[in-house]
Amino acid sequence: MAQLTNTYRATGLRAAPSLRQRIDLPRRVVFGAAASMIFIVVLLLAFITWQGLQLFIKDGVSIGQILSPTWQPDSTSPNLSFGLLPFIAGTVYVTALALLISTPVSVGLALFLSEVAPGWARAIVQPALEIFVGIPSVVWGWLGITILVPFLSHTFHGGMVLSLPIAGDVFRVPGFLTGFSWLAGSLVLSIMIVPTITSVSYDAFRAVPQELRTGSLALGTTRWQTIRHLLIPSALTGVLTAIVLGMTRAAGEALAVQMVIGNSPSMPAAITQPVTTLTSQITLDMGNTVFGEPWQDALWTMSLVLLVISISSVVLVRVINKRRMGA
Amino acid sequence: MLYGMRRFSALAIAATVVLSACSSSATPSPAATPASTTGNCVTGSITAAGSTALQPLVQAAATNYGKACPGATVTVNGGGSGTGLSQVAQGAIQIGDSDVTAQSKLATPLPADSLVDHIVARQGWIVVTNKDVTGVTNLTTQQNVDIWTGKDTNWNQVGGPDLPIVLIFRPASSGTRSTFKKLVLNNAVEATGGQTLTEDSNGAVTTAVTTTDGAVSVIGFAYYNDPANKPLLNGLQLDGVDATVANMASSTYKLAADGHMYTNGQPSGLTAAFLAYMLGPDVQGTLIPSLFYAPVVH
């Protein structure tokens, strides 16, 4: 017997692992993956926060100066100033206009797909949306710079005027000196966020139980009345989540926007004028500034502002969803 | 179920082994690999990064050097002058390319003292306009100051058509912009607002100037003389001097500056050999004129 055991050992075979060992190993692997993910996120948050605060700690710039509209970061400039307001305002304005353009289209498309479209139409539109998501942002920016920007510049060169016969000109916007503008940035972004808002809204509409639809129709309502009074109210939190996710995508987009908005570091004046955003200024300046100089510290502060925007929207989505659960 | 689990863990282990095997063989070490001398060639691998204005020259030289010396690999990246300087100061790369001196860029906490400057070429820039700006072939220094600070806003103020001037800048941190600001604008504060745009690279600037009515900007000679760009742009004289390589070499054309390649301490091995090649006849005599730079060694 002892002889046998030794032979068994000598062949290099070992006893089969116990049940506990077999279950534990994959669990450890999965847990390790999750833990390293959390570790990376925490490290990233800590690093960006630390770097973003250097402008205040090391360079002694006041919060008041950050909120000023004057951006003169060049150390040879006579009045050195790190005003981030043009960038924050640019990001907010460009994103807001993009959402204004994109939301009705995207929610309408989601309603069409979930309530109206026959099977064959859905079979075309859904893959088309997936292809949309896969188009790299540089391609959108390139289309913007070669088609949209010249089009805006040549079509609306003289200015846009909305006039009513009685009141005269009620709305006058200076013409495009160049096509590079707030409007161009918002238009490019509005196309890019259509798939995000559409797919999340679509899921929200599909989540409304079929019984509610049939019940509503049985009461004699039209399809539009069902959509207007039943589907939109029931799916509202889901649609709001979709809009917030679209907003996050728009605020974080750098390349496509940078190519068409002109990047003029001054306060946005009109939708026909060039503006700038946090993301585009970071990409423009990061390669040319040196780690540790106040100029680059200001770029880190911009990253921190972006991080705060994206964390706020994650929190907002959570709050919206919690209210849906509670309702 | 249990069988599946065991398979899964075996796979996980196998995957880990494969991954670690890959990373040990494929990832290049950031430090220079030990170089050994073979005749006139030095083998090994180094990285040069930084200025995009100098990048076409360094890239072409690195390719030629690699052909002549098969054991040597010189990797060339862009990233901007600031990136080149801070990475070479930190020891992450062997050569940092820059349009400006290290002293003007690097303050604390990265001391510029340990960096050694190697001037390899002179590079020039030219003021260009959209084709619709007819009748303007020359701008004086004073006219440039008036245009770029926003004092003149229409081309008819400098002898051109009745057309608003659109200023297309490079980012304020770029080497091109700071060189132009120092040499031509005498550090005057540039205009901001509705008639100004900022574009990231020589290529983006060229596109913006060709598609925007009344646009003016500053680009490198190499980009202006590219056959694909030249017919689309009006190149202007500066103070009556043609923007040519010959005028830049004789210092009569003033919008020009040295192209720097910085090393951290005195170079050795492949770094020293490559810098010697940059200053040798192949690059200075043949490559530099073909790319519209001016040689520093004759």
Side-chain angles (χ1 to χ4, degrees), chain A residues 278-309:
Chain A
L278 291 163
T279 47
S280 66
Q281 194 62 35
I282 293 171
T283 56
L284 283 180
D285 274 343
M286 64 183 179
N288 295 317
T289 53
V290 174
F291 195 81
E293 72 171 316
W295 194 333
Q296 190 164 81
D297 291 341
L299 300 182
W300 283 110
T301 307
M302 292 186 199
S303 314
L304 184 59
V305 173
L306 274 173
L307 194 68
V308 169
I309 291 175

PDB file of all heavy atoms in Angstrom, chain A residues 278-309:
ATOM      1  N   LEU A 278     -13.926  73.071 -22.462  1.00  0.00           N
ATOM      2  CA  LEU A 278     -12.898  72.523 -21.565  1.00  0.00           C
ATOM      3  C   LEU A 278     -12.072  71.459 -22.283  1.00  0.00           C
ATOM      4  O   LEU A 278     -10.837  71.500 -22.261  1.00  0.00           O
ATOM      5  CB  LEU A 278     -13.572  71.898 -20.340  1.00  0.00           C
ATOM      6  CG  LEU A 278     -14.248  72.861 -19.361  1.00  0.00           C
ATOM      7  CD1 LEU A 278     -15.203  72.109 -18.456  1.00  0.00           C
ATOM      8  CD2 LEU A 278     -13.202  73.583 -18.531  1.00  0.00           C
ATOM      9  N   THR A 279     -12.760  70.512 -22.922  1.00  0.00           N
ATOM     10  CA  THR A 279     -12.039  69.401 -23.544  1.00  0.00           C
ATOM     11  C   THR A 279     -11.130  69.882 -24.671  1.00  0.00           C
ATOM     12  O   THR A 279      -9.992  69.438 -24.782  1.00  0.00           O
ATOM     13  CB  THR A 279     -13.019  68.363 -24.119  1.00  0.00           C
ATOM     14  OG1 THR A 279     -14.007  69.058 -24.858  1.00  0.00           O
ATOM     15  CG2 THR A 279     -13.663  67.549 -23.035  1.00  0.00           C
ATOM     16  N   SER A 280     -11.625  70.805 -25.505  1.00  0.00           N
ATOM     17  CA  SER A 280     -10.793  71.189 -26.644  1.00  0.00           C
ATOM     18  C   SER A 280      -9.582  71.997 -26.183  1.00  0.00           C
ATOM     19  O   SER A 280      -8.501  71.870 -26.746  1.00  0.00           O
ATOM     20  CB  SER A 280     -11.610  71.936 -27.700  1.00  0.00           C
ATOM     21  OG  SER A 280     -12.059  73.151 -27.210  1.00  0.00           O
ATOM     22  N   GLN A 281      -9.738  72.816 -25.139  1.00  0.00           N
ATOM     23  CA  GLN A 281      -8.580  73.569 -24.664  1.00  0.00           C
ATOM     24  C   GLN A 281      -7.528  72.640 -24.064  1.00  0.00           C
ATOM     25  O   GLN A 281      -6.333  72.852 -24.247  1.00  0.00           O
ATOM     26  CB  GLN A 281      -9.019  74.619 -23.632  1.00  0.00           C
ATOM     27  CG  GLN A 281      -7.948  75.661 -23.336  1.00  0.00           C
ATOM     28  CD  GLN A 281      -7.587  76.481 -24.573  1.00  0.00           C
ATOM     29  OE1 GLN A 281      -8.431  76.769 -25.402  1.00  0.00           O
ATOM     30  NE2 GLN A 281      -6.323  76.845 -24.701  1.00  0.00           N
ATOM     31  N   ILE A 282      -7.982  71.598 -23.361  1.00  0.00           N
ATOM     32  CA  ILE A 282      -7.022  70.639 -22.790  1.00  0.00           C
ATOM     33  C   ILE A 282      -6.232  69.972 -23.918  1.00  0.00           C
ATOM     34  O   ILE A 282      -4.998  69.901 -23.871  1.00  0.00           O
ATOM     35  CB  ILE A 282      -7.746  69.576 -21.935  1.00  0.00           C
ATOM     36  CG1 ILE A 282      -8.358  70.213 -20.685  1.00  0.00           C
ATOM     37  CG2 ILE A 282      -6.777  68.465 -21.521  1.00  0.00           C
ATOM     38  CD1 ILE A 282      -9.269  69.294 -19.901  1.00  0.00           C
ATOM     39  N   THR A 283      -6.911  69.518 -24.965  1.00  0.00           N
ATOM     40  CA  THR A 283      -6.180  68.840 -26.039  1.00  0.00           C
ATOM     41  C   THR A 283      -5.273  69.804 -26.793  1.00  0.00           C
ATOM     42  O   THR A 283      -4.207  69.420 -27.242  1.00  0.00           O
ATOM     43  CB  THR A 283      -7.119  68.148 -27.051  1.00  0.00           C
ATOM     44  OG1 THR A 283      -8.016  69.127 -27.557  1.00  0.00           O
ATOM     45  CG2 THR A 283      -7.895  67.028 -26.426  1.00  0.00           C
ATOM     46  N   LEU A 284      -5.675  71.069 -26.921  1.00  0.00           N
ATOM     47  CA  LEU A 284      -4.834  72.029 -27.640  1.00  0.00           C
ATOM     48  C   LEU A 284      -3.537  72.315 -26.895  1.00  0.00           C
ATOM     49  O   LEU A 284      -2.485  72.469 -27.511  1.00  0.00           O
ATOM     50  CB  LEU A 284      -5.582  73.352 -27.833  1.00  0.00           C
ATOM     51  CG  LEU A 284      -6.645  73.422 -28.921  1.00  0.00           C
ATOM     52  CD1 LEU A 284      -7.259  74.807 -28.940  1.00  0.00           C
ATOM     53  CD2 LEU A 284      -6.040  73.112 -30.279  1.00  0.00           C
ATOM     54  N   ASP A 285      -3.623  72.421 -25.572  1.00  0.00           N
ATOM     55  CA  ASP A 285      -2.475  72.918 -24.810  1.00  0.00           C
ATOM     56  C   ASP A 285      -1.626  71.841 -24.151  1.00  0.00           C
ATOM     57  O   ASP A 285      -0.496  72.108 -23.751  1.00  0.00           O
ATOM     58  CB  ASP A 285      -2.944  73.890 -23.715  1.00  0.00           C
ATOM     59  CG  ASP A 285      -3.086  75.307 -24.247  1.00  0.00           C
ATOM     60  OD1 ASP A 285      -2.534  75.586 -25.325  1.00  0.00           O
ATOM     61  OD2 ASP A 285      -3.725  76.127 -23.588  1.00  0.00           O
ATOM     62  N   MET A 286      -2.149  70.612 -24.022  1.00  0.00           N
ATOM     63  CA  MET A 286      -1.442  69.673 -23.146  1.00  0.00           C
ATOM     64  C   MET A 286      -0.046  69.309 -23.665  1.00  0.00           C
ATOM     65  O   MET A 286       0.875  69.153 -22.883  1.00  0.00           O
ATOM     66  CB  MET A 286      -2.279  68.424 -22.885  1.00  0.00           C
ATOM     67  CG  MET A 286      -2.559  67.580 -24.095  1.00  0.00           C
ATOM     68  SD  MET A 286      -3.641  66.195 -23.617  1.00  0.00           S
ATOM     69  CE  MET A 286      -3.827  65.412 -25.196  1.00  0.00           C
ATOM     70  N   GLY A 287       0.095  69.192 -25.002  1.00  0.00           N
ATOM     71  CA  GLY A 287       1.395  68.788 -25.529  1.00  0.00           C
ATOM     72  C   GLY A 287       2.438  69.880 -25.453  1.00  0.00           C
ATOM     73  O   GLY A 287       3.632  69.610 -25.465  1.00  0.00           O
ATOM     74  N   ASN A 288       1.983  71.122 -25.388  1.00  0.00           N
ATOM     75  CA  ASN A 288       2.911  72.243 -25.451  1.00  0.00           C
ATOM     76  C   ASN A 288       3.265  72.822 -24.093  1.00  0.00           C
ATOM     77  O   ASN A 288       4.055  73.747 -24.004  1.00  0.00           O
ATOM     78  CB  ASN A 288       2.332  73.353 -26.328  1.00  0.00           C
ATOM     79  CG  ASN A 288       2.197  72.910 -27.769  1.00  0.00           C
ATOM     80  OD1 ASN A 288       3.091  72.281 -28.300  1.00  0.00           O
ATOM     81  ND2 ASN A 288       1.075  73.201 -28.382  1.00  0.00           N
ATOM     82  N   THR A 289       2.620  72.314 -23.039  1.00  0.00           N
ATOM     83  CA  THR A 289       2.935  72.830 -21.716  1.00  0.00           C
ATOM     84  C   THR A 289       3.743  71.776 -20.976  1.00  0.00           C
ATOM     85  O   THR A 289       3.801  70.625 -21.372  1.00  0.00           O
ATOM     86  CB  THR A 289       1.663  73.152 -20.926  1.00  0.00           C
ATOM     87  OG1 THR A 289       0.830  71.996 -20.932  1.00  0.00           O
ATOM     88  CG2 THR A 289       0.919  74.304 -21.553  1.00  0.00           C
ATOM     89  N   VAL A 290       4.368  72.190 -19.900  1.00  0.00           N
ATOM     90  CA  VAL A 290       5.294  71.327 -19.187  1.00  0.00           C
ATOM     91  C   VAL A 290       4.704  70.965 -17.839  1.00  0.00           C
ATOM     92  O   VAL A 290       4.093  71.797 -17.175  1.00  0.00           O
ATOM     93  CB  VAL A 290       6.648  72.053 -19.008  1.00  0.00           C
ATOM     94  CG1 VAL A 290       7.578  71.226 -18.147  1.00  0.00           C
ATOM     95  CG2 VAL A 290       7.279  72.321 -20.351  1.00  0.00           C
ATOM     96  N   PHE A 291       4.868  69.691 -17.474  1.00  0.00           N
ATOM     97  CA  PHE A 291       4.343  69.197 -16.204  1.00  0.00           C
ATOM     98  C   PHE A 291       4.853  70.065 -15.059  1.00  0.00           C
ATOM     99  O   PHE A 291       6.052  70.267 -14.933  1.00  0.00           O
ATOM    100  CB  PHE A 291       4.774  67.743 -15.998  1.00  0.00           C
ATOM    101  CG  PHE A 291       4.009  67.040 -14.930  1.00  0.00           C
ATOM    102  CD1 PHE A 291       2.755  66.519 -15.195  1.00  0.00           C
ATOM    103  CD2 PHE A 291       4.531  66.928 -13.659  1.00  0.00           C
ATOM    104  CE1 PHE A 291       2.036  65.873 -14.205  1.00  0.00           C
ATOM    105  CE2 PHE A 291       3.818  66.279 -12.666  1.00  0.00           C
ATOM    106  CZ  PHE A 291       2.570  65.750 -12.927  1.00  0.00           C
ATOM    107  N   GLY A 292       3.946  70.582 -14.237  1.00  0.00           N
ATOM    108  CA  GLY A 292       4.348  71.356 -13.074  1.00  0.00           C
ATOM    109  C   GLY A 292       4.250  72.855 -13.256  1.00  0.00           C
ATOM    110  O   GLY A 292       4.292  73.587 -12.283  1.00  0.00           O
ATOM    111  N   GLU A 293       4.136  73.353 -14.513  1.00  0.00           N
ATOM    112  CA  GLU A 293       4.013  74.802 -14.671  1.00  0.00           C
ATOM    113  C   GLU A 293       2.541  75.194 -14.460  1.00  0.00           C
ATOM    114  O   GLU A 293       1.639  74.396 -14.690  1.00  0.00           O
ATOM    115  CB  GLU A 293       4.543  75.268 -16.037  1.00  0.00           C
ATOM    116  CG  GLU A 293       3.676  74.905 -17.228  1.00  0.00           C
ATOM    117  CD  GLU A 293       4.130  75.588 -18.521  1.00  0.00           C
ATOM    118  OE1 GLU A 293       4.438  76.788 -18.484  1.00  0.00           O
ATOM    119  OE2 GLU A 293       4.164  74.917 -19.564  1.00  0.00           O
ATOM    120  N   PRO A 294       2.297  76.450 -13.998  1.00  0.00           N
ATOM    121  CA  PRO A 294       0.925  76.862 -13.673  1.00  0.00           C
ATOM    122  C   PRO A 294      -0.045  76.645 -14.836  1.00  0.00           C
ATOM    123  O   PRO A 294      -1.202  76.269 -14.628  1.00  0.00           O
ATOM    124  CB  PRO A 294       1.076  78.350 -13.357  1.00  0.00           C
ATOM    125  CG  PRO A 294       2.479  78.509 -12.917  1.00  0.00           C
ATOM    126  CD  PRO A 294       3.276  77.498 -13.676  1.00  0.00           C
ATOM    127  N   TRP A 295       0.434  76.881 -16.069  1.00  0.00           N
ATOM    128  CA  TRP A 295      -0.413  76.699 -17.247  1.00  0.00           C
ATOM    129  C   TRP A 295      -0.988  75.282 -17.286  1.00  0.00           C
ATOM    130  O   TRP A 295      -2.175  75.049 -17.486  1.00  0.00           O
ATOM    131  CB  TRP A 295       0.425  76.994 -18.497  1.00  0.00           C
ATOM    132  CG  TRP A 295      -0.338  77.166 -19.757  1.00  0.00           C
ATOM    133  CD1 TRP A 295      -1.553  76.634 -20.086  1.00  0.00           C
ATOM    134  CD2 TRP A 295       0.071  77.955 -20.879  1.00  0.00           C
ATOM    135  NE1 TRP A 295      -1.910  77.030 -21.340  1.00  0.00           N
ATOM    136  CE2 TRP A 295      -0.942  77.837 -21.845  1.00  0.00           C
ATOM    137  CE3 TRP A 295       1.206  78.728 -21.153  1.00  0.00           C
ATOM    138  CZ2 TRP A 295      -0.852  78.474 -23.074  1.00  0.00           C
ATOM    139  CZ3 TRP A 295       1.292  79.356 -22.381  1.00  0.00           C
ATOM    140  CH2 TRP A 295       0.276  79.241 -23.331  1.00  0.00           C
ATOM    141  N   GLN A 296      -0.076  74.266 -17.079  1.00  0.00           N
ATOM    142  CA  GLN A 296      -0.575  72.894 -17.118  1.00  0.00           C
ATOM    143  C   GLN A 296      -1.419  72.574 -15.889  1.00  0.00           C
ATOM    144  O   GLN A 296      -2.381  71.820 -15.985  1.00  0.00           O
ATOM    145  CB  GLN A 296       0.576  71.885 -17.244  1.00  0.00           C
ATOM    146  CG  GLN A 296       0.026  70.492 -17.524  1.00  0.00           C
ATOM    147  CD  GLN A 296       1.062  69.522 -18.033  1.00  0.00           C
ATOM    148  OE1 GLN A 296       1.818  68.958 -17.266  1.00  0.00           O
ATOM    149  NE2 GLN A 296       1.106  69.308 -19.327  1.00  0.00           N
ATOM    150  N   ASP A 297      -1.086  73.198 -14.751  1.00  0.00           N
ATOM    151  CA  ASP A 297      -1.935  73.010 -13.570  1.00  0.00           C
ATOM    152  C   ASP A 297      -3.361  73.477 -13.862  1.00  0.00           C
ATOM    153  O   ASP A 297      -4.331  72.859 -13.420  1.00  0.00           O
ATOM    154  CB  ASP A 297      -1.358  73.784 -12.374  1.00  0.00           C
ATOM    155  CG  ASP A 297      -0.056  73.166 -11.882  1.00  0.00           C
ATOM    156  OD1 ASP A 297       0.198  71.985 -12.195  1.00  0.00           O
ATOM    157  OD2 ASP A 297       0.718  73.864 -11.192  1.00  0.00           O
ATOM    158  N   ALA A 298      -3.476  74.575 -14.639  1.00  0.00           N
ATOM    159  CA  ALA A 298      -4.811  75.072 -15.001  1.00  0.00           C
ATOM    160  C   ALA A 298      -5.549  74.055 -15.867  1.00  0.00           C
ATOM    161  O   ALA A 298      -6.763  73.894 -15.746  1.00  0.00           O
ATOM    162  CB  ALA A 298      -4.697  76.415 -15.724  1.00  0.00           C
ATOM    163  N   LEU A 299      -4.808  73.340 -16.727  1.00  0.00           N
ATOM    164  CA  LEU A 299      -5.440  72.303 -17.546  1.00  0.00           C
ATOM    165  C   LEU A 299      -5.957  71.165 -16.663  1.00  0.00           C
ATOM    166  O   LEU A 299      -7.021  70.598 -16.909  1.00  0.00           O
ATOM    167  CB  LEU A 299      -4.458  71.745 -18.582  1.00  0.00           C
ATOM    168  CG  LEU A 299      -3.879  72.726 -19.595  1.00  0.00           C
ATOM    169  CD1 LEU A 299      -2.977  71.983 -20.575  1.00  0.00           C
ATOM    170  CD2 LEU A 299      -4.969  73.457 -20.352  1.00  0.00           C
ATOM    171  N   TRP A 300      -5.177  70.838 -15.615  1.00  0.00           N
ATOM    172  CA  TRP A 300      -5.638  69.802 -14.678  1.00  0.00           C
ATOM    173  C   TRP A 300      -6.887  70.269 -13.956  1.00  0.00           C
ATOM    174  O   TRP A 300      -7.783  69.469 -13.671  1.00  0.00           O
ATOM    175  CB  TRP A 300      -4.531  69.459 -13.667  1.00  0.00           C
ATOM    176  CG  TRP A 300      -3.465  68.579 -14.236  1.00  0.00           C
ATOM    177  CD1 TRP A 300      -2.175  68.926 -14.509  1.00  0.00           C
ATOM    178  CD2 TRP A 300      -3.586  67.210 -14.630  1.00  0.00           C
ATOM    179  NE1 TRP A 300      -1.497  67.854 -15.053  1.00  0.00           N
ATOM    180  CE2 TRP A 300      -2.347  66.793 -15.131  1.00  0.00           C
ATOM    181  CE3 TRP A 300      -4.640  66.298 -14.606  1.00  0.00           C
ATOM    182  CZ2 TRP A 300      -2.120  65.510 -15.606  1.00  0.00           C
ATOM    183  CZ3 TRP A 300      -4.417  65.019 -15.080  1.00  0.00           C
ATOM    184  CH2 TRP A 300      -3.169  64.631 -15.568  1.00  0.00           C
ATOM    185  N   THR A 301      -6.939  71.569 -13.621  1.00  0.00           N
ATOM    186  CA  THR A 301      -8.141  72.090 -12.971  1.00  0.00           C
ATOM    187  C   THR A 301      -9.352  71.938 -13.901  1.00  0.00           C
ATOM    188  O   THR A 301     -10.449  71.596 -13.464  1.00  0.00           O
ATOM    189  CB  THR A 301      -7.940  73.561 -12.576  1.00  0.00           C
ATOM    190  OG1 THR A 301      -6.743  73.646 -11.799  1.00  0.00           O
ATOM    191  CG2 THR A 301      -9.106  74.084 -11.767  1.00  0.00           C
ATOM    192  N   MET A 302      -9.113  72.163 -15.221  1.00  0.00           N
ATOM    193  CA  MET A 302     -10.204  71.947 -16.180  1.00  0.00           C
ATOM    194  C   MET A 302     -10.653  70.484 -16.163  1.00  0.00           C
ATOM    195  O   MET A 302     -11.849  70.194 -16.230  1.00  0.00           O
ATOM    196  CB  MET A 302      -9.746  72.302 -17.594  1.00  0.00           C
ATOM    197  CG  MET A 302      -9.484  73.770 -17.814  1.00  0.00           C
ATOM    198  SD  MET A 302      -9.119  74.029 -19.567  1.00  0.00           S
ATOM    199  CE  MET A 302      -8.314  75.602 -19.496  1.00  0.00           C
ATOM    200  N   SER A 303      -9.683  69.549 -16.088  1.00  0.00           N
ATOM    201  CA  SER A 303     -10.039  68.124 -16.013  1.00  0.00           C
ATOM    202  C   SER A 303     -10.879  67.854 -14.782  1.00  0.00           C
ATOM    203  O   SER A 303     -11.837  67.078 -14.826  1.00  0.00           O
ATOM    204  CB  SER A 303      -8.798  67.244 -15.933  1.00  0.00           C
ATOM    205  OG  SER A 303      -7.858  67.623 -16.863  1.00  0.00           O
ATOM    206  N   LEU A 304     -10.499  68.505 -13.673  1.00  0.00           N
ATOM    207  CA  LEU A 304     -11.249  68.314 -12.423  1.00  0.00           C
ATOM    208  C   LEU A 304     -12.685  68.801 -12.602  1.00  0.00           C
ATOM    209  O   LEU A 304     -13.629  68.144 -12.159  1.00  0.00           O
ATOM    210  CB  LEU A 304     -10.543  69.057 -11.283  1.00  0.00           C
ATOM    211  CG  LEU A 304     -11.128  68.889  -9.889  1.00  0.00           C
ATOM    212  CD1 LEU A 304     -11.144  67.431  -9.466  1.00  0.00           C
ATOM    213  CD2 LEU A 304     -10.356  69.717  -8.871  1.00  0.00           C
ATOM    214  N   VAL A 305     -12.851  69.948 -13.279  1.00  0.00           N
ATOM    215  CA  VAL A 305     -14.205  70.468 -13.529  1.00  0.00           C
ATOM    216  C   VAL A 305     -15.004  69.462 -14.366  1.00  0.00           C
ATOM    217  O   VAL A 305     -16.170  69.169 -14.070  1.00  0.00           O
ATOM    218  CB  VAL A 305     -14.143  71.842 -14.241  1.00  0.00           C
ATOM    219  CG1 VAL A 305     -15.539  72.295 -14.653  1.00  0.00           C
ATOM    220  CG2 VAL A 305     -13.499  72.882 -13.333  1.00  0.00           C
ATOM    221  N   LEU A 306     -14.373  68.904 -15.387  1.00  0.00           N
ATOM    222  CA  LEU A 306     -15.043  67.891 -16.220  1.00  0.00           C
ATOM    223  C   LEU A 306     -15.441  66.670 -15.394  1.00  0.00           C
ATOM    224  O   LEU A 306     -16.531  66.121 -15.549  1.00  0.00           O
ATOM    225  CB  LEU A 306     -14.123  67.437 -17.354  1.00  0.00           C
ATOM    226  CG  LEU A 306     -14.128  68.255 -18.625  1.00  0.00           C
ATOM    227  CD1 LEU A 306     -13.031  67.759 -19.551  1.00  0.00           C
ATOM    228  CD2 LEU A 306     -15.464  68.154 -19.330  1.00  0.00           C
ATOM    229  N   LEU A 307     -14.529  66.266 -14.506  1.00  0.00           N
ATOM    230  CA  LEU A 307     -14.785  65.111 -13.647  1.00  0.00           C
ATOM    231  C   LEU A 307     -15.983  65.393 -12.753  1.00  0.00           C
ATOM    232  O   LEU A 307     -16.860  64.537 -12.570  1.00  0.00           O
ATOM    233  CB  LEU A 307     -13.538  64.826 -12.806  1.00  0.00           C
ATOM    234  CG  LEU A 307     -13.487  63.492 -12.092  1.00  0.00           C
ATOM    235  CD1 LEU A 307     -13.368  62.376 -13.104  1.00  0.00           C
ATOM    236  CD2 LEU A 307     -12.313  63.458 -11.137  1.00  0.00           C
ATOM    237  N   VAL A 308     -16.048  66.614 -12.206  1.00  0.00           N
ATOM    238  CA  VAL A 308     -17.173  66.990 -11.350  1.00  0.00           C
ATOM    239  C   VAL A 308     -18.471  66.936 -12.161  1.00  0.00           C
ATOM    240  O   VAL A 308     -19.488  66.423 -11.698  1.00  0.00           O
ATOM    241  CB  VAL A 308     -16.946  68.394 -10.743  1.00  0.00           C
ATOM    242  CG1 VAL A 308     -18.217  68.910 -10.086  1.00  0.00           C
ATOM    243  CG2 VAL A 308     -15.808  68.350  -9.736  1.00  0.00           C
ATOM    244  N   ILE A 309     -18.423  67.434 -13.414  1.00  0.00           N
ATOM    245  CA  ILE A 309     -19.612  67.387 -14.261  1.00  0.00           C
ATOM    246  C   ILE A 309     -20.062  65.940 -14.467  1.00  0.00           C
ATOM    247  O   ILE A 309     -21.236  65.609 -14.326  1.00  0.00           O
ATOM    248  CB  ILE A 309     -19.337  68.055 -15.634  1.00  0.00           C
ATOM    249  CG1 ILE A 309     -19.151  69.566 -15.462  1.00  0.00           C
ATOM    250  CG2 ILE A 309     -20.487  67.788 -16.608  1.00  0.00           C
ATOM    251  CD1 ILE A 309     -18.747  70.284 -16.743  1.00  0.00           C
TER     252      ILE A 309
END
